[in-house]
Amino acid sequence: MPRPVPIDKIRNIGFIAHIDAGKTTVTERVLFFSGRTYKMGEVHEGTTVMDWMPQERERGITIVSAATTVQWAGHFVNIIDTPGHVDFTAEVERSLRVLDGGIVIFDAVAGVEPQSETVWRQAERHRVPRICFVNKMDRVGADFHRTVEMIHQRLQAVPAVVQLPLGTEEAFRGIIDLIDRKAIVWDDPQGTEFHEEPVPPEYAEQLEEFRERLVERVAEHSEDLMVKYLEGQTITPEEIRRGLRKATVQLALFPIFCGTALRNRGIQPLLDGIVAYLPSPADVPAVTGTDPRTHQPVTRQTDDEAPFTALAFKVVSDPFAGRLVYFRVYAGQIGAGASVLNSTKGQRERLGRLLQMHANRREEMESAYAGAIVASIGLKNTTTGDTLCDPESPVVLESIYFPEPVISVSIEPKTKAEEQKVSDALAKLAEEDPTFRVKYDTETGETLISGMGELHLDVLVDRMRREFQVEARVGRPQVAYRETITQPARAQGRYVRQTGGRGQYGDVWLEVEPLEPGTGFEFVNKIVGGAIPREYISAVESGVREASETGVTSGFPMVDVRVTLVDGTYHEVDSSEIAFKIAGSLGFKEATRRARPILLEPIMKIEVTTPGQSLGDVIGDLSSRRAHILGMEGRGDIQVIQAFIPLGETFGYATTLRSLTQGRAVSSMEFHHYAPVPQQVAQAVAAQGR
């Protein structure tokens, strides 16, 4: 079956930006002006198409990336609108992994904001060509030229200005097209009617200055144009567009557009720029993977005749359709109902219905071709980052990188009856969101949920309540402390009870000694000459190990201790396994009390990446949290700090770090070792009890 749209007429793009830069508002205008919707949705009214979740409409922010498709100038444009809040950075990460191009939106007043830098770095990592849209040109304080300079300075990007604003702030009424030397002015508030006119005389000098700069930058990336430019020949508008497209696809230049989405100005030229400068699936390099049978590299060309190859990048539990898996087709074609191989897991799957998504609405498709972004029902075992492919030509694509969670809280059902519902809801949410983790802590008896920030966890708990009708209490997790000893000691454990008839008799001598950190717990039997019968030795060990689980200072497990059974006595009639178990427990507790027990706390290795200007504040805060700085490394304006920090001092750290650095710093942590707790902290922990 022939494909409905030529591959060079497809654009897979995403809107990325700092929170409140206007991504969703721009997307809503794109939907309206392309004819996809008949009415413009507004974020402040909670009527947007793309922000369809109740939590998004209430908070006025994007939480999950939403996909849709529009048509413009004979092209099919697949759009993903991504969140701007740092807590939902995973949505941006997985979207950029499967997109061919991006539109980075900047607030004309704020310029390059912290999260703008983060998403720009993410796009750089995925080698995604971008165009920039300077939004909110009608606001007081809007400064187009300052924003362009910030893009150049902060993002180390080479901007290619293709438009200049016609008027600023309240007087903003249109744009100046540098390539065609014309002004475009919007006539009605709805933004559907606009006209072209000559550039006003007061802008003539500025027009020529910026056009000359644009032509020079484009010529630098094309030998033919450079020759014409140096010889003083005229470079036509079409040649400029062609050269700019080539440089944009190569990530050498980043075209700059401007407008105001809320006032409906500048959207149509932006759409023209999307189809003119951003790549089609055929323009991006062929995808590479690994053959799971031979472990050799495999390259798949973007071709309908190539073996089917796709990457699952999102899983959603739809209340009406069931489990939806979004995937990007990199090569080949596939029909609804086809059998595919999940090469990541080595399992065969059957595609159910194929769906073209429009936010939370669906349109059925018969087949999907190379370059398509679609969803499917019926993939039971496929999760985010899995590769789907032709069973006869298996390949495993590189999975999707997700940052580790940075904050954890405890959660429990409000009633015993809801335990299973809470467990099921958490499992479904964890399947959807790779940065959301669920773990049962056997030591504290708590279920811990981990995520990218307090807002992230707050939204997920709210979704549990609304979507799964589960009420839960959220608390603060306890730190899993440990206890150990610092010197050898010896003690007797004696348990004697006489109750008329057969009594209880157990008598042991134990020696305890500290071991190297990380060794664990050892029990050694050195009984000789039958001082204690063999059948009672295991009972002594059982009593010792049981006692070690609750320690002697604060009730935490003992670690890095060797216990040696050296002597004892028994009674022919009264001795029993239970008596020796109790004796072992008593002897162990007495010996550890004499061995100067101390409390240990988990130490995390933390890496903080911060702008240089915030370095002092970040180090000061780390020091106040008892962190031990290991070293610092400079990467341009960015400083990377490595340190050891107690886990108990890290709660709320992600939020504090953002406030110290205006959200520009990021951190990652992993467990490293246990270390002694300072005396004052140990006393506080002991006072709290377990």
Side-chain angles (χ1 to χ4, degrees):
M1 179 180 172
R3 64 182 301 139
V5 190
I7 197 163
D8 63 334
K9 298 290 185 185
I10 293 176
R11 300 289 183 271
N12 292 318
I13 58 109
F15 290 103
I16 56 176
H18 187 91
I19 190 168
D20 284 339
K23 292 177 303 302
T24 301
T25 304
V26 171
T27 310
E28 293 295 321
R29 270 50 181 178
V30 166
L31 294 178
F32 177 76
F33 291 125
S34 64
R36 193 69 168 86
T37 56
Y38 67 90
K39 182 186 175 194
M40 281 182 265
E42 301 292 356
V43 173
H44 56 275
E45 294 174 0
T47 57
T48 55
V49 173
M50 303 303 277
D51 285 353
W52 54 271
M53 289 173 64
Q55 293 86 352
E56 293 178 313
R57 292 185 168 180
E58 287 171 7
R59 290 171 169 83
I61 61 170
T62 302
I63 291 170
V64 296
S65 53
T68 189
T69 301
V70 303
Q71 294 184 45
W72 186 261
H75 291 70
F76 276 69
V77 184
N78 295 318
I79 298 171
I80 295 182
D81 177 32
T82 66
H85 198 286
V86 68
D87 279 17
F88 309 105
T89 186
E91 293 288 333
V92 182
E93 188 70 36
R94 60 173 155 203
S95 298
L96 287 171
R97 174 69 172 79
V98 298
L99 292 174
D100 301 322
I103 297 94
V104 189
I105 298 172
F106 299 94
D107 184 327
V109 178
V112 177
E113 297 175 272
Q115 191 63 9
S116 310
E117 296 180 52
T118 304
V119 297
W120 191 273
R121 286 200 298 264
Q122 287 175 297
E124 282 287 309
R125 192 166 62 246
H126 291 289
R127 306 289 297 161
V128 175
R130 280 142 279 160
I131 62 178
C132 305
F133 182 70
V134 182
N135 191 26
K136 305 187 180 183
M137 284 303 306
D138 59 318
R139 283 185 59 200
V140 174
D143 190 330
F144 175 78
H145 299 290
R146 182 174 62 88
T147 303
V148 172
E149 185 57 27
M150 289 178 77
I151 292 170
H152 178 55
Q153 295 292 338
R154 279 204 184 178
L155 305 178
Q156 305 295 302
V158 183
V161 176
V162 295
Q163 295 177 351
L164 291 173
L166 191 59
T168 55
E169 300 182 354
E170 276 296 314
F172 178 75
R173 57 196 181 94
I175 60 165
I176 297 169
D177 185 324
L178 297 181
I179 297 176
D180 289 322
R181 289 190 173 98
K182 65 184 180 184
I184 302 174
V185 179
W186 276 262
D187 302 312
D188 69 317
Q190 195 76 346
T192 51
E193 295 179 17
F194 56 90
H195 68 271
E196 297 176 3
E197 61 180 47
V199 176
E202 63 268 27
Y203 287 94
E205 188 178 330
Q206 193 182 26
L207 163 66
E208 293 307 321
E209 177 194 340
F210 275 86
R211 192 178 193 277
E212 181 69 16
R213 197 179 301 171
L214 173 65
V215 172
E216 183 182 338
R217 285 185 171 170
V218 170
E220 285 173 358
H221 301 282
S222 168
E223 284 187 26
D224 295 341
L225 294 184
M226 180 55 80
V227 171
K228 291 186 76 172
Y229 179 75
L230 293 175
E231 291 178 354
Q233 298 180 39
T234 302
I235 297 177
T236 66
E238 194 48 50
E239 287 175 323
I240 296 173
R241 290 191 184 92
R242 206 162 42 240
L244 182 54
R245 175 183 176 79
K246 179 186 172 188
T248 303
V249 171
Q250 293 174 345
L251 282 86
L253 293 177
F254 300 92
I256 312 284
F257 295 77
C258 63
T260 168
L262 196 63
R263 297 260 185 109
N264 314 313
R265 294 170 188 165
I267 303 301
Q268 295 94 332
L270 176 64
L271 275 163
D272 291 336
I274 289 170
V275 300
Y277 305 122
L278 290 180
S280 74
D283 295 324
V284 294
V287 68
T288 57
T290 307
D291 188 321
R293 300 165 299 188
T294 63
H295 303 290
Q296 295 299 310
V298 177
T299 300
R300 289 282 162 84
Q301 299 296 330
T302 308
D303 184 352
D304 295 339
E305 303 308 314
F308 172 70
T309 307
L311 182 74
F313 67 95
K314 187 176 169 75
V315 177
V316 176
S317 297
D318 190 288
F320 304 106
R323 190 174 187 272
L324 282 175
V325 177
Y326 288 70
F327 60 88
R328 158 76 189 263
V329 183
Y330 283 100
Q333 53 184 289
I334 199 74
S339 177
V340 296
L341 173 69
N342 180 333
S343 54
T344 307
K345 293 192 168 71
Q347 298 175 331
R348 287 205 176 218
E349 293 258 48
R350 184 169 293 279
L351 288 172
R353 290 182 291 155
L354 286 176
L355 305 169
Q356 182 82 62
M357 299 303 296
H358 178 50
N360 61 332
R361 297 199 289 278
R362 301 163 291 280
E363 296 168 5
E364 292 214 24
M365 306 168 64
E366 290 183 13
S367 52
Y369 298 84
I373 294 178
V374 295
S376 175
I377 299 169
L379 296 168
K380 293 184 174 62
N381 301 311
T382 300
T383 54
T384 300
D386 287 358
T387 302
L388 300 172
C389 61
D390 185 336
E392 303 303 316
S393 303
V395 63
V396 178
L397 303 179
E398 182 186 346
S399 192
I400 305 173
Y401 161 80
F402 292 107
E404 288 297 308
V406 295
I407 188 170
S408 302
V409 297
S410 62
I411 188 168
E412 62 179 5
K414 284 195 173 176
T415 64
K416 195 81 174 168
E418 290 196 311
E419 270 186 10
Q420 189 58 46
K421 287 174 72 177
V422 166
S423 179
D424 292 345
L426 290 175
K428 285 186 177 178
L429 291 171
E431 185 181 55
E432 284 187 22
D433 188 344
T435 57
F436 176 59
R437 309 278 172 81
V438 183
K439 185 184 81 171
Y440 182 73
D441 191 328
T442 54
E443 293 167 11
T444 62
E446 293 176 314
T447 298
L448 300 181
I449 57 174
S450 306
M452 299 307 297
E454 283 131 321
L455 177 62
H456 185 202
L457 295 178
D458 183 42
V459 166
L460 288 166
V461 171
D462 190 45
R463 286 187 61 194
M464 278 178 57
R465 183 169 57 82
R466 297 193 194 204
E467 293 175 30
F468 301 97
Q469 283 77 52
V470 176
E471 294 290 342
R473 280 191 291 267
V474 178
R476 177 176 170 155
Q478 289 180 304
V479 176
Y481 291 101
R482 296 285 188 273
E483 295 178 26
T484 193
I485 56 174
T486 56
Q487 65 184 35
R490 177 184 171 109
Q492 181 185 24
R494 182 178 170 85
Y495 182 70
V496 181
R497 289 287 184 274
Q498 198 65 46
T499 55
R502 184 173 176 179
Q504 298 284 358
Y505 184 94
D507 178 30
V508 298
W509 279 91
L510 299 173
E511 290 179 355
V512 296
E513 59 185 306
L515 294 175
E516 286 294 312
T519 309
F521 188 91
E522 290 183 13
F523 179 84
V524 179
N525 172 29
K526 284 194 176 177
I527 291 293
V528 291
I532 299 174
R534 188 181 299 275
E535 62 266 26
Y536 297 143
I537 302 295
S538 60
V540 175
E541 182 178 355
S542 176
V544 168
R545 288 190 178 275
E546 207 170 276
S548 75
E549 287 298 309
T550 52
V552 293
T553 60
S554 305
F556 293 97
M558 298 286 297
V559 294
D560 306 330
V561 177
R562 177 183 289 135
V563 182
T564 306
L565 175 60
V566 293
D567 200 2
T569 60
Y570 75 103
H571 190 278
E572 289 281 358
V573 177
D574 292 347
S575 287
S576 65
E577 285 193 9
I578 189 68
F580 272 99
K581 182 177 180 181
I582 294 171
S585 175
L586 294 172
F588 174 76
K589 288 188 175 180
E590 182 58 33
T592 51
R593 283 192 192 98
R594 297 176 182 180
R596 289 182 57 202
I598 58 170
L599 193 64
L600 301 175
E601 62 185 344
I603 302 296
M604 313 297 285
K605 187 173 185 182
I606 186 170
E607 184 174 282
V608 183
T609 305
T610 176
Q613 66 206 55
S614 304
L615 183 64
D617 292 336
V618 172
I619 289 179
D621 180 64
L622 285 171
S623 299
S624 72
R625 295 172 182 268
R626 299 192 286 123
H628 170 60
I629 307 296
L630 299 173
M632 285 177 283
E633 178 190 351
R635 300 174 187 167
D637 181 46
I638 300 298
Q639 294 288 331
V640 180
I641 308 163
Q642 291 192 328
F644 287 145
I645 185 170
L647 176 63
E649 302 287 350
T650 63
F651 298 129
Y653 180 67
T655 306
T656 303
L657 181 64
R658 284 177 205 149
S659 65
L660 285 174
T661 63
Q662 297 177 302
R664 294 173 64 190
V666 293
S667 66
S668 61
M669 282 185 286
E670 61 182 4
F671 170 76
H672 194 269
H673 66 280
Y674 275 90
V677 174
Q679 190 61 37
Q680 66 272 25
V681 178
Q683 289 170 354
V685 172
Q688 287 175 4
R690 197 160 171 210

